[in-house]
Structure formats: structure tokens, C-alpha cells
Amino acid sequence: MSDNGPSAERDPRPSPVRRDRRTRVRRRLLAGGAVAVLVAAGLLAYPRLSATDPTAGEPAARPAAGCTSPSPSDRVPERTPREDSGQHRPAEESGRPAPAGEPAEPRPHELKPTTVTTIGQAYYCILDSYYRGPLLDSRSLLVPAFAALTQELQRRGLDQPQAALPALTGGKDQDWAAFRQVYDQITDRLPPDAAVRQAVAEATLRAMVESLDDNHATWRRSPRRNTTGIEVSAHTGPGHVDPTATPPLFVTRVAPDSPADRAHVRPGDEVLAVNGVPPYVNGVLAEGALDWITSSPEGTRLTLELRRPATGATVTTTVTARATEPAPRPRVEARPLDDGLGYVRLPAFAPGLADQVLEAIADLRKTADLRGIVLDLRGNGGGSPREVSRLLGALAPGRIFSYWCDVRDHCIPNRGDEGVAALDLPLAVLTDRGCASACDSFSSAVKDLGLGTLVGTRTAGAVAGPGELYPLDDGSLLSLPRYHEIAANREVIDTIGVAPDHHVPLTSADLSAGRDPGLRTARKLLTD
């Protein structure tokens, strides 16, 4: 089968009718991006995007301020593959919106109270801009949101006898009007405490977004930062809890000069307890303990009881959480290995890093006759689809490595950049549960297209689709995928991950002793 998808076998050269259909599909996919730019410029109010919306023509009941996308200056400049030839053109020339798998942060916004207007913005933004929005039933958003509201009231001892949601109809404007009326009645009876009102609003909005059950649909008021410098084994990608996590919980990385580093916490240390609380109870992860370890408020003192596998010793230490500066821009690490191989670690698919990988390999070739490359993607939480295309261009120029699809499963392909010099070296790729999003996408391409060998553990499976950031009126940010992604062989990677060709886990004992069985296996595969 050709890399152009299943239809290529039947007719590699599309008929005029099929080309016309492709054009219509592309225009439908582009509509969201074009509208977002006009909205950001203040030239257009946020519209309904789907002509198939069953509630079209209903009287508007929207918040006064609509959900808007970041202005182009707030985004990382991107280039995207052309569907017809595989060549790259700037997004503004091709007419297709720039990809944003891990959306670039827009300029900071001043935080204001989250209100029912903010919740309404998010509601309509999801229905208008989320890839499944045209087919979503409004009740699937509003019922979980209201349930979370009442649960927050109960937790605070503030439940109210009239806090009940009337029967909804599925009409998005009428349902929103009914929801807002009850929400206003409830909040009018709350105590005049700004913290309580904020907590109720946050619980409501967060539950609405979480009801999408999409790893790239998120809402946040401020960046979530690691305040201890500890990364642990129970996470997949950037901060998601791994549903496959099993005891023991152990440290996978300690940031240099972090509170944990100063407290002599080391990779491989197994966490027996944090402030006396075990991280696993009857084999079930205690997520509160996990949050304590990685994202406690500044000034929080954590007493960690650790077991160090290399020595068998139990160590107790105190880590004081502190606010940290944003992480420095990630950089590629490269070094020659003593068996004629090159080792390159890519920590993220951040803008410019694909070229850094290729430059690092070129530099290694100047000093040695390379027999192959080990590319380490462990802990790579993702980044820009452009960087995936760029790096794959050195391995599979012009070949389809994934598809972006709308809610009707009309798909457009992503191709390897044809403007990159060929790598032409055997490749082994190290993966783990921390390899997420764009890293999932790259790993699936390596496997599907036969570009190399995957060694390690299954990737995170956090590749729902390329996201877009939308600022809300309280200064918070809503991230929503505008398409969903499938892999080159049209298989689903999201929530599943990419299985390695050679399963080689990295254990706490390996980390503590300084061993790397994945790298050892990759070297053996490349030299045998």
C-alpha cells in the first residue's frame, strides 16, 4: 500500500471530482483558523462553525464576550506540509492554519475572578472550536459542570435546597440560559467571600472541560510548575498521571540546583512516604501525595522517606518547595559512543530542536565514521508538529507520517519535510511513558514507516490532536484540539501509545545504580 493512504492503491492521481472534494474538506478544516484570526483582530464576532448544528437559528443567549484565539504574534511561527506535493510553505501562503500540538503560550494576562460569563465563554468555545463541538450535546457539558458545582458546595458545607438543574433539551442556547439562571441563583446566596466564589466557579468550569475526556483539552489560570525539582515514575508526559503506574513510586529525574537536589534526593530513590503518607495504598496511587511531591505551594516542607536501591539504605530528608523560574529553553545533547555510534537526546519537539538534532549528528560525523544513531526520546513531553515533520524529513521526506481529521473523519495528511538532507544511518529510538504528544507522533511514524527500531516502553498515548489556546475574560487559558490525529497506518495512538519493538523498562534499581539497559540494548541492536 502506498504511503498516500488507502485510496492511493485504487487511483494514485485523484480525479477532478475527488480533488474538488479535497478542496471542500480543506476549506471546512480551515474555517476555524480563519475565523480565529478575524476574531482576534476584532473584525468578527465568534460564529457558529457548523451548518449541521441542530440548534441553528435559535435565539442567541451567549455571553457578551466571545472566546477568541491568540493573535498571530502570540504564536510560534510554524510551517506546515502541503497535501498535494509534500513541500513546505508558510501557513499564511498555504491557507492552512499553523499547527500547535503543544500550543505556544500567549502573552500573560492579568487574572480576574472567574464568573458565569467566563464559564459561558468556555461552553460556547468548546461547541464552536473543539473538533467534536458540532456533534456535542450541550447536556454532556452542562450536567458534569453542574454536578461539580454541587459537589463543591457540599465540600464547603454550603449546599442549597434549590440547587437543582432543570431538565435540559439539547438546544445549546436554551440549555445555557437555563444553566446560567440556576447558577446565578446559587451564587447569589453564597457568602460574600471571593475565595469561595472563585472555588465554585473553578470547579464548575474545570469539570466542563474534563467531561471531554481529552488529554489536549485543558483549562488553567496559571502554569503548573514543579516546585521541588522531582520527576517521578507515575507520570506520563508533562504532568499526567500514568494509568498503568504500579509500586514502587520512584524518582526518575532531579533538576539541578532544585530543592530536591539540595536535599540530596537522587534518581532511582523509591518514595516510601511523603509527610508520613505512602504514595500507594493497597496498590492504588494516592494522587494527593503525588501532587505534594511535585507541585506543593511555595514554602511547603515535605518530609520524604526514601529507599535507595543501590545501597538498600533508607533515607529521610526534608524538601522545601519554592517557586522556580520557567525552565530554560531545552537543548539537544549529543556525544559519540565507543562503538562507532552516536547518542543524541531530544528533550522536546520545541521550535528549532529538530535542526539541532541534525546539526549534532553532522558534527559527530566530522569526528567519526558513524555506524548508527541512538535517539533518546525518554521524557520528551512533545511540542510542535512542525519539528516532527522536520526531523522525519531526514528519514522519510515527503512520506505521510500522520493524518489530522475533523469530526466527520475527513482527513488531511502530514508529510516529512522534503527540504532536509537525508540522514541515511541506522536508527534506534529510546521511548518511555514520558514520551507524549508530538513524541507519540514521531515514534509511531518510526514504527509504521520502518524507519528504525523502538526500544524501551510504550509511549504515553497523549496525542489527541493539535491544540489551540483561547484566552478567556478572567485571564485564564482554554486549550482545545481543532482536529484529532491518527497515525500513518491509520491506527489510533491517542490513549494507547506506541509499543516498542523491544520492551526494556528502566527500573528504580537501574537508575540508582547508574545502569541504562535501554541504551545497552539499542547499541547491541545497531552493532550486531
Side-chain angles (χ1 to χ4, degrees), residues 78-415:
E78 298 288 0
R79 293 185 300 171
T80 60
R82 285 181 61 188
E83 179 185 3
D84 52 355
S85 69
Q87 297 288 343
H88 276 79
R89 290 194 299 178
E92 63 272 18
E93 294 179 13
S94 66
R96 180 175 166 190
E102 296 298 323
E105 292 285 356
R107 298 184 183 96
H109 292 74
E110 178 185 356
L111 289 179
K112 301 173 184 177
T114 304
T115 66
V116 69
T117 300
T118 316
I119 298 168
Q121 280 185 301
Y123 170 75
Y124 280 107
C125 193
I126 291 169
L127 293 174
D128 287 347
S129 302
Y130 182 49
Y131 84 91
R132 284 195 285 116
L135 299 185
L136 277 180
D137 188 310
S138 55
R139 292 166 288 196
S140 69
L141 299 176
L142 295 178
V143 172
F146 196 84
L149 185 160
T150 60
Q151 291 160 11
E152 186 66 23
L153 295 177
Q154 293 172 71
R155 279 191 290 268
R156 294 175 176 272
L158 296 172
D159 203 3
Q160 300 176 15
Q162 82 292 349
L165 183 66
L168 303 178
T169 65
K172 65 181 175 184
D173 291 335
Q174 289 92 332
D175 283 354
W176 171 249
F179 180 94
R180 176 166 187 159
Q181 182 178 17
V182 178
Y183 185 96
D184 285 340
Q185 292 170 356
I186 293 170
T187 54
D188 284 347
R189 291 173 170 82
L190 290 176
D193 184 329
V196 169
R197 292 172 179 273
Q198 181 64 34
V200 168
E202 287 189 18
T204 305
L205 203 162
R206 184 168 289 109
M208 180 186 294
V209 176
E210 289 178 351
S211 72
L212 298 173
D213 193 24
D214 188 310
N215 49 60
H216 275 55
T218 60
W219 176 72
R220 64 181 185 273
R221 281 176 60 83
S222 58
R224 179 169 180 161
R225 290 180 179 163
N226 190 313
T227 54
T228 62
I230 299 174
E231 294 180 13
V232 292
S233 57
H235 278 155
T236 62
H240 297 290
V241 175
D242 187 352
T244 71
T246 56
L249 179 72
F250 59 90
V251 177
T252 57
R253 182 178 178 274
V254 177
D257 198 35
S258 64
D261 189 29
R262 295 182 180 185
H264 307 293
V265 179
R266 296 292 176 258
D269 286 352
E270 298 173 355
V271 181
L272 304 180
V274 51
N275 291 342
V277 177
Y280 284 92
V281 178
N282 197 27
V284 178
L285 182 67
E287 292 188 26
L290 189 61
D291 287 342
W292 244 346
I293 294 170
T294 59
S295 54
S296 287
E298 183 177 8
T300 303
R301 290 173 59 86
L302 304 175
T303 301
L304 298 179
E305 185 179 351
L306 308 170
R307 176 183 174 275
R308 191 153 292 163
T311 63
T314 298
V315 179
T316 301
T317 187
T318 300
V319 175
T320 302
R322 73 163 191 261
T324 57
E325 294 299 318
R329 183 178 177 83
R331 294 195 61 81
V332 168
E333 301 171 17
R335 67 177 188 270
L337 302 175
D338 58 12
D339 42 14
L341 303 176
Y343 169 89
V344 180
R345 179 175 179 269
L346 177 60
F349 282 92
L353 290 201
D355 283 340
Q356 280 191 30
V357 169
L358 300 176
E359 290 165 5
I361 294 172
D363 289 342
L364 290 172
R365 277 179 145 162
K366 293 175 183 177
T367 60
D369 183 16
L370 290 183
R371 302 169 59 189
I373 292 292
V374 178
L375 179 62
D376 192 347
L377 298 183
R378 293 174 295 188
N380 183 315
S384 167
R386 174 192 176 186
E387 297 301 306
V388 176
S389 172
R390 186 80 176 158
L391 191 52
L392 285 173
L395 302 167
R399 295 183 67 185
I400 294 172
F401 64 84
S402 69
Y403 296 85
W404 288 348
C405 307
D406 67 8
V407 70
R408 308 286 184 184
D409 284 329
H410 300 133
C411 302
I412 50 178
N414 295 300
R415 299 177 185 268

Side-chain angles (χ1 to χ4, degrees), residues 400-491:
I400 294 172
F401 64 84
S402 69
Y403 296 85
W404 288 348
C405 307
D406 67 8
V407 70
R408 308 286 184 184
D409 284 329
H410 300 133
C411 302
I412 50 178
N414 295 300
R415 299 177 185 268
D417 189 333
E418 289 190 298
V420 181
L423 182 60
D424 197 26
L425 280 172
L427 178 71
V429 179
L430 302 180
T431 62
D432 66 359
R433 296 292 288 165
C435 172
S437 193
C439 189
D440 281 306
S441 186
F442 181 88
S443 301
S444 71
V446 169
K447 187 169 185 178
D448 281 359
L449 303 181
L451 306 178
T453 302
L454 301 185
V455 179
T457 56
R458 187 179 288 267
T459 63
V463 60
E468 183 73 69
L469 282 178
Y470 298 92
L472 304 182
D473 72 343
D474 64 344
S476 64
L477 293 170
L478 179 65
S479 176
L480 297 171
R482 288 186 290 144
Y483 320 105
H484 71 95
E485 181 170 319
I486 57 176
N489 288 345
R490 294 185 176 268
E491 76 273 31

